[in-house]
Amino acid sequence: PLALLSGAVLLAGMLTACDEGGSSGTTTRDVPISAQVLDSAASFLGAATGKESPLIVDDVVFINSALGLNDVPRDALDLYGDLWVVVRDAYGVPVLDANGCVQPVASEPVVWPDGSTQDTVPMMLEEFMDGEFKCTPVEGYEQYTVELEIGRLNMVRTMSTNPTVFARALQEAIKNINAASSVKTDAAGRLVLVSEVDGLPVEKTIDSPRENLALYYALLKHGRIAGYGPESRGEEGEVIPPQWLEIRPDLDLGALAYLRDGTFGREGGVDLYKGYADLSVMTHNRQEDYQTRLVSYVQYVDDGSGCYYQDREDYVWPRVFGEEAYYGENIAGFTQHADDARATIVFMHNVIQDVPEEMLATLPVIDDGVNPPYSRLDLMEAAAAFIGAASNKGVPLTVDGLVFVNTVLGLNEVEFSYKGEIYGDLWELLRNDNGEPVLDANSCPQPISSDPVATGGDYVPMELDDQGECVIVAGYEDYVIELELGRLNGVRVALTNPAMLDRALYDVVNSINASTGVKLDLAGRLAFGVDEDGDGGADRYQTVDSPRANLAMYYALMRWGKLEGTVEIMEDGTWVTKTIQITLDDAVLDAEGLGYLKRGTTACQGNPDACGSSRLPGGYVDYSAFTHNAQEDFQGVDVSYVERTPDDLSCGYADRTSPLWERVLGSDAADYANIAGFVVQAENTRNIIQFVHTVIQNPVTEPAPE
């Protein structure tokens, strides 16, 4: 029987109504697609990517499959299941083994059942229905697969199931382009729209990830920036079909005219090769592409003048890439071009370069002289800080997001019973104070409406289908508000591979045990002391900043009420149960008020039933006793940063120290409670991390270089 290919081998998404290039196999057109079109497509894809997530070939294949640019078979759930790095050929097509299975790249060399050492994970055919088989890793080797971390590009999942969202993004991008007087690109290849306000030129970069992804799709699908906008509804409720959109013919595009006109003598976007987008005409030479592009930045210089921060401008090739050469072709070159665009954007966002490393700033311990020293954050507040640290810097955590994470991790003992479920559409819903969905008369959840006027109320109408399942009333699908998880999307992998978090927690505890002590950094993340000179002291503190590790610690505190418990990990190809324990002396932890990491709360000690989170009658985690007040937690804590001061003609920049509660959290003295308070605590962590990472505050926006 034919195997159903898993991992990153996916079916064409719902966005493709008809394929201009034909079905799977090699298709050709008389004129090859312009390399300029592919260059811009790569830049747009890089602009749509999260800053923390470098692009690899598997990412591009996944995106193309989800968008319907690839025409390949898959199991219907693979788009939302495990996505692995697999062995691929020069076109990105998976190289299959003798059973017709993909070959996942192993995270480390592994010993196969036959005794050989390989760089791939062994696969087997497993029957899951009568006469139907699928490929799965040999039992015990699941842990060695390398999951794709697509970061901000996870939004493509929503777009593939709700194409109207995607069409609206294209509509917005083309509308803004057509409102400009001219268009150029910045150092990363993003579009910069030039207009005039009060007689002065104003430049605006298209930096929206969703709009850049829509532009990427347009170039690969149609060969130019063109496509259909969203279907809409008229004043009488009538359906208005999607309208064809393209760049107005009189717009001054200069050398970028190919974005409107496409490739001369050619209709349509990329061809297919064995069902995959054919990028074989693509070449990328990093030096040629970036040696004439300029980028502005701030350079740290300690020359004795006291002015440590100086404005600089340099070419991207030496400044961003250190003159490191790269030349590539086909999908590898395309991917590297996209990732080079991403790296350039990261450089521009970071602004300041070569800042000397300093001792990590940590939250002070409270010692009132009466009670034992105690931490600024208790156990549940630490749990909130850990999940805040696991969140993406640019994607806020919401109550809906926290509920989803808890459900995937099994902390909520509930099941989604409506359209989408765990792996489908995730929407913002009407919820009560406990975070539980408030159901309508049909026992359906009530998605919050993005346009109450269009939907006739604050919620998107739901109904029961022929099978008695809750679905959106036809024509209103466009008005749900999709949930963006950002970096927390990695929790999906934990559903099918829970050992992932066990391994992360095991490694964290080992790092704690090898340290000279632990503290909480300014955001509430865990930091362990590192002894570099062997004198037994902490020469520096290393923050646990891995999203997976922070998610694992959150999971542990919510399950066990501490970081000690039983995990299952793989050693030498065999699953082993380990009891993890913190071996640091109690006195070391108690000096920082962090004894609960080892012993749990007072109520937990000697009473395992009192450890971990409790649940409400409906199965959701009970946060009803949780309260949060940012002023109480962070009053008296300072944060250091660099601020641009254009009125200071001597330097232009100044080192500042301000109360963290005021400068970062906006003097928010409100009291928060229940699950909303827990989310605010997590968001405070994320905001502090984002502030500290930004380094320079209030920078003056520089014009985009030509």
Side-chain angles (χ1 to χ4, degrees):
L2 294 177
L4 294 175
L5 303 183
S6 59
V9 187
L10 309 170
L11 179 66
M14 295 174 62
L15 290 173
T16 302
C18 60
D19 182 8
E20 296 176 328
S23 58
S24 56
T26 302
T27 62
T28 60
R29 292 185 173 94
D30 292 340
V31 179
I33 193 168
S34 165
Q36 290 178 305
V37 170
L38 294 183
D39 280 345
S40 286
S43 293
F44 298 156
L45 182 60
T49 306
K51 290 191 295 184
E52 303 93 345
S53 304
L55 278 169
I56 61 174
V57 168
D58 298 77
D59 295 320
V60 176
V61 172
F62 167 71
I63 294 300
N64 289 346
S65 296
L67 294 179
L69 296 166
N70 291 339
D71 181 14
V72 293
R74 68 163 174 95
D75 184 315
L77 290 180
D78 281 343
L79 183 56
Y80 296 113
D82 288 321
L83 296 167
W84 307 316
V85 179
V86 302
V87 179
R88 298 183 181 276
D89 68 14
Y91 288 83
V93 179
V95 177
L96 307 182
D97 65 15
N99 291 321
C101 296
V102 295
Q103 302 180 71
V105 175
S107 57
E108 59 186 80
V110 294
V111 179
W112 277 32
D114 63 6
S116 63
T117 299
Q118 304 288 343
D119 293 324
T120 57
V121 174
M123 301 288 285
M124 64 180 183
L125 285 174
E126 181 179 54
E127 187 172 9
F128 69 101
M129 287 185 182
D130 293 341
E132 293 190 54
F133 291 74
K134 64 179 180 180
C135 297
T136 60
V138 172
E139 185 176 0
Y141 288 87
E142 300 89 344
Q143 182 173 327
Y144 293 107
T145 57
V146 179
E147 294 88 6
L148 283 187
E149 295 187 13
I150 57 176
R152 200 163 57 182
L153 282 172
N154 176 62
M155 62 186 167
V156 76
R157 299 177 191 269
T158 298
M159 292 182 173
S160 66
T161 54
N162 189 359
T164 306
V165 174
F166 193 82
R168 184 186 289 120
L170 180 63
Q171 179 187 53
E172 184 68 16
I174 294 179
K175 179 188 74 173
N176 290 333
I177 292 170
N178 284 339
S181 58
S182 63
V183 179
K184 58 183 181 179
T185 58
D186 69 0
R190 296 178 297 181
L191 296 186
V192 179
L193 311 181
V194 183
S195 57
E196 191 173 284
V197 177
D198 297 329
L200 298 175
V202 175
E203 298 179 355
K204 186 180 187 305
T205 301
I206 296 183
D207 58 2
S208 160
R210 186 166 291 180
E211 290 179 28
N212 274 291
L213 191 60
L215 294 175
Y216 166 81
Y217 173 76
L219 289 184
L220 263 64
K221 177 64 177 175
H222 302 294
R224 61 195 185 102
I225 294 180
Y228 284 103
E231 179 183 278
S232 58
R233 303 180 75 86
E235 294 182 358
E236 304 298 326
E238 72 277 14
V239 174
I240 301 175
Q243 301 296 304
W244 181 256
L245 308 168
E246 56 185 62
I247 299 175
R248 61 184 173 91
D250 62 322
L251 180 61
D252 179 13
L253 292 177
L256 298 175
Y258 63 86
L259 294 176
R260 174 181 52 217
D261 304 332
T263 302
F264 181 74
R266 177 188 176 85
E267 292 292 332
V270 295
D271 296 322
L272 295 178
Y273 173 80
K274 296 184 178 179
Y276 289 78
D278 184 358
L279 302 172
S280 58
V281 301
M282 176 72 182
T283 62
H284 174 48
N285 185 313
R286 180 184 289 155
Q287 180 176 3
E288 289 182 1
D289 283 340
Y290 290 103
Q291 65 182 352
T292 60
R293 299 188 190 185
L294 289 169
V295 63
S296 299
Y297 60 98
V298 176
Q299 179 65 50
Y300 177 87
V301 178
D302 187 1
D303 59 4
S305 67
C307 296
Y308 297 110
Y309 308 97
Q310 301 176 3
D311 291 308
R312 296 280 180 85
E313 186 177 61
D314 199 353
Y315 292 105
V316 174
W317 161 242
R319 186 64 230 179
V320 178
F321 299 109
E323 297 187 346
E324 180 181 352
Y326 174 84
Y327 176 83
E329 301 175 347
N330 212 324
I331 194 171
F334 185 89
T335 300
Q336 191 60 56
H337 187 125
D339 194 60
D340 284 353
R342 179 199 65 83
T344 304
I345 294 169
V346 169
F347 180 92
M348 291 189 288
H349 282 182
N350 287 343
V351 182
I352 191 169
Q353 304 298 317
D354 302 325
V355 180
E357 184 175 338
E358 298 179 355
M359 178 68 80
L360 184 71
T362 58
L363 283 175
V365 177
I366 300 173
D367 189 350
D368 56 15
V370 178
N371 301 297
Y374 59 97
S375 166
R376 292 270 174 169
L377 307 181
D378 63 20
L379 186 147
M380 283 297 287
E381 287 180 318
F386 294 160
I387 196 167
S391 301
N392 189 292
K393 288 186 294 183
V395 180
L397 180 67
T398 63
V399 170
D400 298 84
L402 179 61
V403 170
F404 171 73
V405 169
N406 287 345
T407 301
V408 172
L409 294 179
L411 297 170
N412 289 337
E413 292 186 344
V414 297
E415 294 182 358
F416 289 146
S417 58
Y418 49 89
K419 180 181 180 290
E421 303 194 52
I422 285 286
Y423 286 132
D425 292 317
L426 297 168
W427 311 314
E428 290 185 23
L429 304 177
L430 174 63
R431 298 182 181 275
N432 64 19
D433 290 342
N434 294 323
E436 300 168 301
V438 177
L439 306 182
D440 64 15
N442 291 322
S443 296
C444 293
Q446 302 179 71
I448 295 173
S449 172
S450 61
D451 187 347
V453 174
T455 56
D458 293 330
Y459 312 107
V460 177
M462 302 283 285
E463 63 183 0
L464 298 175
D465 63 11
D466 295 339
Q467 286 73 44
E469 295 184 359
C470 297
V471 296
I472 299 173
V473 174
Y476 291 93
E477 299 87 351
D478 187 30
Y479 300 105
V480 295
I481 301 174
E482 291 85 7
L483 185 62
E484 292 191 25
L485 289 173
R487 205 160 56 177
L488 277 174
N489 179 63
V491 74
R492 297 175 188 267
V493 179
L495 187 67
T496 52
N497 187 10
M500 172 195 76
L501 293 183
D502 278 3
R503 166 60 73 174
L505 184 63
Y506 179 75
D507 292 340
V508 166
V509 173
N510 284 340
S511 295
I512 292 173
N513 291 337
S515 73
T516 59
V518 292
K519 292 178 180 285
L520 299 179
D521 78 350
L522 283 185
R525 294 178 296 180
L526 195 66
F528 52 88
V530 178
D531 178 14
E532 294 181 330
D533 57 15
D535 64 359
D539 299 301
R540 63 182 177 88
Y541 278 87
Q542 177 67 48
T543 300
V544 179
D545 58 2
S546 158
R548 184 171 295 180
N550 276 291
L551 187 62
M553 290 192 294
Y554 165 78
Y555 186 33
L557 291 185
M558 299 298 286
R559 280 188 299 172
W560 306 326
K562 51 187 175 181
L563 294 186
E564 295 193 341
T566 301
V567 297
E568 190 174 19
I569 65 172
M570 180 176 285
E571 288 185 347
D572 299 325
T574 303
W575 288 107
V576 178
T577 299
K578 297 266 190 180
T579 299
I580 55 174
Q581 295 178 308
I582 297 176
T583 58
L584 288 178
D585 289 342
D586 288 358
V588 174
L589 292 169
D590 291 340
E592 297 295 330
L594 297 174
Y596 56 77
L597 296 178
K598 183 174 183 178
R599 301 188 301 271
T601 62
T602 301
C604 171
Q605 295 165 26
N607 182 13
D609 293 336
C611 298
S613 57
S614 58
R615 294 181 180 85
L616 298 165
Y620 287 81
V621 172
D622 184 3
Y623 294 97
S624 59
F626 186 87
T627 60
H628 172 62
N629 183 294
Q631 182 177 11
E632 293 178 2
D633 285 340
F634 297 104
Q635 184 73 49
V637 179
D638 290 333
V639 62
S640 297
Y641 56 98
V642 175
E643 187 169 45
R644 185 150 194 173
T645 55
D647 294 335
D648 184 351
L649 300 180
S650 60
C651 285
Y653 298 91
D655 291 308
R656 304 288 196 202
T657 299
S658 298
L660 183 150
W661 169 64
E662 298 174 5
R663 185 66 181 82
V664 183
L665 304 180
S667 300
D668 182 5
D671 291 312
Y672 298 93
N674 213 327
I675 191 171
F678 193 87
V679 169
V680 170
Q681 168 73 42
E683 271 293 278
N684 283 341
T685 294
R686 190 186 65 83
N687 287 327
I688 295 169
I689 294 170
Q690 186 174 12
F691 183 92
V692 173
H693 282 183
T694 302
V695 184
I696 288 185
Q697 302 301 316
N698 306 324
V700 175
T701 302
E702 300 287 350
E706 294 287 351

